Amino acid sequence: MAEVLRVDRAAAKAGRALLGQELRRLGGRAWLPIVLGLSVAAAGVAQAFLLARLVAGLMGLGNGGWPDLAGAAALALLAAALVSAQEIAQGASGRAARAGLRARVFAALLAAGPADGRAAGEKASLAVERVEALDGYFSRWLPAAVLALLVPLGIIVAVWAFDWVSGLVLAVMGLLVPVGMAVAGIGAARASRRQFDALARLSGRFTDRVRGLSTLVQFNRAEDEAQALGAAAEELRLRTMRVLRVAFLSSGSLEFLAAGTLAYLAWRHGALLGASHPNPVTALWCILVVPAFFQPLRNFSAAYHEAQSARGAAAALAPLLAESEPPGLLLEEVPPFVALSFTEVKLTYAPERPPALDGLSFSLAAGETLLLSGPSGAGKSSVLALLLGFRRPDSGRIAINGQDITRLRPAELRRMVAHVGQRPHIFAGTIAENIAVARPEAGRAAIEAAAEAAQVLAFTDDLPDGLDTRVGEGGHGLSGGQAQRVGLARAFLREAPLILLDEPTASLDPGTEEVVLEAIRRLCLGRTVLIATHSAAALRGLPGRVLALEGGRAAGRRLAGE
Amino acid sequence: MRHDLMRIWALWRPRGGWLLAGLGVAVLSALSAVALLALAGQGVAAGVAGAGGAAALLLTRPMVAIRPALRWAERMVSHEATFRALADTRVWFFRRLAERMPGGLGHAGAGEARGRMIADIEALDGLYLRAVLPAVAAAAVVLAVALLLGAAPGLAALVALPLALAILLPIWLARGAAPAAEAVTVARGAVHRAALDPLLGLTETLANNAETRAAERLSAATAAMHAAERRLSRRSALAGSLGTLCAQAALLGALGWAVAGSGGLALAVLGLFLALAAGETLALVPRAGTALASAGAAAHRLLAMADTPPPVAEPATPAPMPAGNTLRFEGVDFGWGEGRDTVLRGLDLEWREGERLALLGASGAGKSTIARLMLKFAAPQAGRITLGGQDIAGLAATGLRGRIACLSQDARIFEGSVAENLRIAAPGAPDAALWRVLAQVGMAELIRALPNGLDTDCGEGGARFSGGQARRIALARALLPAAPLLVLDEPGWGLDAETERAFLTVLEEATRGRSVLLITHRLVGVEKPDRVLRLVGGKLFPATA
């Protein structure tokens, strides 16, 4: 428990630091709403004075009349315009904060790569929902907090000058407001973090289940899943209500204080008025200014739980943004040829699991092809992950053209690499756009040539829009084999000196497999190629050596086809 | 917009009690504010008239405590009601997706669905909390004010009319705000997609150095969303100002009535206090316009997805499940839609009970389509499919799917333990049954060696396991239920040759007595099917292994 609390506190501290940093970035944009808010308060105080004169005049205690009414109406119009301007300025500063943060969070998520094992839906919720949750902090809470301090203070000083008892009452009540809020708000930060966790769980679970909707439907389990999602939604409701209960309690205490203050001042000045008050206008003003005194406190209380949820979100985002960019050198230019060597490379993912690579050594000359074979779990994918910069070896050395690759920034290492996974992800967009991902500056002719070489045209020619056919998220409309050919087309287009292929023909039928193998053969020409495959036999006809892996080590080597 | 919101409102009917309770407390709470200030006004007015008024002022004391208490109760009950309704809506939405898109989400995408499930459903809260609730409370206040000032019709009109205008404003404002709100929701969906897609394809994004482009795309989507938000927030600010002005007009109207000397000072003071009381409730009402527009846009998008026509309509009265399990395709035509080639053309197939069929064909030839048609994930455009002589169009989909266990190409491993994933196919299956199917696919040893065994978490999409291992867990899952028909679509996908051979060798024993349809692009030679068929040009032809 103590441990949990400490972690909680550290996370909260990091979150606060993040919010402070962001505020400095915002600069002057954060101040405009505050200046406008002060003008609104000044207009309110002035209007209260005019109304006091008017009422006093009606009671025969002064000479207020139509001019005061006209003045009050003008001030009402002015205040309405200022309130609008303030609201718009607040929105602008919230948006500026969100835009900057979202960009940094997203960049950090990409930089962390697959080593951050959280679900894609959960990561997306960090970049989208959690950043949205920070909006209230900058757009509403921050100006409200400053105004809640300055405006009541100014009014207390003005009232004190006239009647110190009234001033004192306002001061005491004003001080009680934060006390009441703090008492009601004990534990609010943690409650709001839990609310966010519940939201992330619901969102993650829903995304995961919806992506496998056909699997659930097929086994008649959609209804059970609906029930389970209902439980997750119910948990979110409970967590949300727990956060709101606090917020409502604190605004309730505020209303109680406001009503009490108004009642007391009405009684006090009412009595004074009866006893032929020397300055009836100011006495009435003391009563009429009470709403203007409490309005900024009310806004502050309303924005208070936004600050809580923003702090919760900031605590979740801070660790991600604290990770500095992986250090490393930049690549001057992509070398035309690549020679590769692994020396005693070890890699362990988790201490409780056996090492994925256990002292693997091999070398590959420029332009050579190596088939890494072995059962699943032998370490083939780990070799590829290391060469993609997703992982760093625990020990041993991996060198490209004699240079240790860990000295390079991971993104720079990847500039030398073209990779085709087992199930290439197809992005939302057209097939041509999906190929162009590999080299965005490539022209249409180059994309078509790559599509031709990878046998993509063989199936797009039958589609009405050809290469411009839209494919959805997850590649709907493309079979596994077709998606793999799109992946190969990317590799052709990329023109990288080092090619990494993961089971390139696993989901192809024999007819297509022949053509694709021929395409791979051409892709291999003049390039250094590493192919992970369950069986070298499936890739017969590819030139090159075979390196059999077992338990993360080289088990044996021979020539392909032997 | 109105039609969509009415449908959402109808969805919330089971929570009618909570929603009505919220309205009731809101009305009471608003009236208590009126009572508090009416009593104070009466006291002051009486004092001014020299008639004491102490009794009225005495009564304000309990109201000082009652008013905040009622306000607290109003917020608690109304939010409780709303969040209960929203939780129901989320479950309803998932059920609809399962019913309307049983074969998967296709172009619409999981990211889109998630945006609707989370953000759009959340935006529906405005319908009740920021539109219906304040409007009802405000109407009660206006009515009370008009009644209290009934003695002076001129004053009543001066105070109540601007207040009534504040209630009518939202209807006018909502119309203008609707396109802006729609643009915000659309833009928000685009932001979700722009963030999720590169993260789903994280390997491809990184391997192609596409980080900067993905980030630029997300920034552009964010900028578009912010532009839409700016337009909407201008509308909302305008509405807020108009609301404040209406309340101020009522207040200044009461004072003007007194300055003009139209009646007694006491009534004017009462009017002034009532206008103050009403202002608090009514100032929020014009914002209901933008809240309604936002909720309407969210409802529209939600319902558009939830109303996707189902690929196969459920029969109104399903026929009883037939006794036999022979599955027949008779002259079946099928194409994936306008402008795309027909996949199956007059296809005939007889898959007899207990028969082991192998179905070969090039990728994209339509092999998997045959499985999807059997499961009613799609309906043939011509011809019919029968199970035990009964047209499957007349059978309940759940009954049909209970007969057919299927390993599809896109079978998904969910987040959760190995055991949870396997039990998706057979909820009550004992551990022994799980170990049996894991042994059949050659995974038992590996999982037994893991520290958490069957409780090992699989990760998203089975990410904790290698591709081949995850595929074998999916395969084990398909073998688990005792369904008489078993469809295996590329069971060897992602498996190394040795494992694939080993599995196909035990397949015969694992599926003894059941009908098996093996869909594959090649046979490895150990399958021993009763018949081999090849799919060419949308028709099946007998073939040899």
Side-chain angles (χ1 to χ4, degrees), chain A residues 422 480-482 484 503-509, chain B residues 363 409 490 493 521:
Chain A
Q422 287 193 31
Q482 289 168 340
Q484 209 154 33
E503 301 291 352
T505 59
S507 47
L508 301 178
D509 53 84
Chain B
S363 80
Q409 277 200 50
E490 301 287 0
W493 189 91
H521 59 267

Side-chain angles (χ1 to χ4, degrees), chain A residues 87-106:
Chain A
E87 194 175 327
I88 289 165
Q90 286 183 352
S93 83
R95 284 192 291 273
R98 273 184 287 154
L101 266 168
R102 172 159 305 131
R104 291 197 291 138
V105 167
F106 189 64

Side-chain angles (χ1 to χ4, degrees), chain A residues 47 51 54-55 58-59 66 69 72-73 76-77 80 84 87-88 95 98-99 102 106 110 113-114 119-121 123-125 128-129 132 199 202-203 206-223 225-227 229-230 233 236-237 240-241 244-245 248-249 251-252 255-256 259-260 298 353 375-376 388 390 411 414-415 417 419 422-425 427-428 437-438 440 462 464 470-473 476-477 480 485 490 494 506-510 534-535, chain B residues 48 64-65 68 71-72 75-76 79-80 83-84 87 90-91 93-95 97-98 101-107 109-111 113-114 117-118 191-192 195-209 211 213-215 218 222 225-226 229-230 234 236-237 241 245 248 251-252 255-256 258-260 265 280 287 339-341 361-363 375 377 398 401-402 406 408-412 414-415 423-425 427 460 464 466 469 472 477 493-497 521-522:
Chain A
Q47 202 205 27
L51 290 180
L54 189 59
V55 174
L58 284 174
M59 295 160 91
W66 288 113
L69 191 65
L77 282 172
S84 276
E87 194 175 327
I88 289 165
R95 284 192 291 273
R98 273 184 287 154
R102 172 159 305 131
F106 189 64
L110 291 179
K123 292 188 200 173
S125 112
V128 181
E129 277 100 12
E132 289 295 300
L199 179 66
L202 174 68
S203 162
F206 178 77
T207 313
D208 183 50
R209 296 321 200 243
V210 156
R211 289 181 72 197
L213 193 58
S214 70
T215 302
L216 289 171
V217 170
Q218 206 169 281
F219 290 116
N220 282 335
R221 295 302 299 280
E223 186 46 40
E225 189 49 41
Q227 306 277 352
L229 275 172
L236 175 63
R237 174 181 72 81
T240 309
M241 281 311 290
L244 288 179
R245 189 174 306 151
F248 296 160
L249 262 183
S251 57
E255 274 159 29
F256 180 70
R298 220 181 278 248
R353 286 170 63 180
S376 43
L388 283 165
F390 295 164
R414 294 192 279 267
R415 283 176 60 199
V417 176
H419 168 258
Q422 287 193 31
R423 257 185 193 195
H425 179 78
F427 296 99
V437 162
D462 297 336
R470 292 198 70 82
V471 279
E473 178 194 309
H476 179 85
R485 282 185 266 170
R490 287 180 186 149
R494 191 146 168 86
S507 47
L508 301 178
D509 53 84
H534 292 124
S535 69
Chain B
V48 168
V64 166
R71 183 89 180 93
W72 184 79
R75 285 170 168 161
M76 288 302 286
H79 282 79
E80 189 74 49
F83 293 134
R84 276 170 199 264
R90 292 196 160 114
V91 176
F93 181 59
F94 180 80
R95 278 204 188 106
L97 288 183
M101 307 184 185
L105 257 57
H107 288 277
R114 173 173 158 278
M117 174 81 168
I118 304 299
V191 170
H192 275 277
L196 187 60
D197 201 19
L199 289 169
L200 284 173
L202 189 56
T203 306
E204 281 75 9
T205 305
L206 294 173
N208 290 300
N209 292 97
E211 297 99 316
R213 275 165 281 146
L218 180 62
T222 302
M225 176 173 83
H226 286 174
E229 280 180 7
R230 194 178 312 129
R234 268 195 213 130
S236 172
S241 297
L245 286 177
Q248 289 272 333
L251 190 143
L252 297 175
L255 285 171
V259 174
L265 177 61
E280 198 186 324
R287 285 185 198 270
R340 300 180 70 170
D341 285 350
S363 80
L375 290 162
F377 286 174
T398 47
R401 290 173 194 145
C406 176
S408 58
Q409 277 200 50
D410 58 359
R412 183 171 174 83
F414 296 100
E415 272 196 271
R423 288 203 174 101
I424 281 175
E460 189 189 25
R464 302 280 154 81
S466 78
Q469 290 166 346
R472 279 190 278 164
R477 181 169 66 193
W493 189 91
L495 268 55
D496 54 87
H521 59 267
R522 64 190 158 87

